């Protein structure tokens, strides 16, 4: 009780931010086809959010999986892009 505890910070800053950003996610990818993942945040109205959740439920998929498929269909890789 008399000694001061060694309290560590929440996280340390990366030495090389560029390699830290490009580092793979420590969790394995769900479908295994993506080497890197990133979180995408968008603003939608509560009504739109409800519609999206209902559509995903009716299709028997998660909202994230449904939106990944939508984005992959709408934005296919450009010719010459490597993945």
């Amino acid at each position: 009780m008399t000694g001061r505890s060694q309290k560590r910070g929440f996280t340390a800053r990366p030495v090389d931010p560029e390699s830290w950003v490009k580092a793979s996610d420590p969790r394995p990818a769900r479908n295994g086809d993506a080497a890197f993942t990133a979180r995408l945040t968008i603003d939608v109205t509560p009504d739109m959010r409800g519609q999206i959740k209902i559509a995903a439920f009716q299709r028997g998929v998660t909202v994230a999986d449904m939106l990944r498929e939508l984005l992959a269909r709408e934005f296919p890789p450009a010719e010459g892009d490597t993945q």
Side-chain angles (χ1 to χ4, degrees), residues 40 64-77:
L40 175 66
D65 289 339
M66 184 179 75
L67 293 176
R68 281 186 202 105
E69 288 177 22
L70 171 78
L71 292 170
R73 185 176 62 244
E74 292 297 319
F75 302 100

Side-chain angles (χ1 to χ4, degrees), residues 36-78:
F36 300 101
T37 61
R39 185 170 302 271
L40 175 66
T41 303
I42 60 170
D43 294 325
V44 296
T45 64
D47 290 338
M48 178 62 72
R49 181 175 180 261
Q51 290 174 348
I52 294 168
K53 289 178 79 172
I54 290 169
F57 179 77
Q58 290 172 337
R59 297 174 188 185
V61 297
T62 65
V63 170
D65 289 339
M66 184 179 75
L67 293 176
R68 281 186 202 105
E69 288 177 22
L70 171 78
L71 292 170
R73 185 176 62 244
E74 292 297 319
F75 302 100

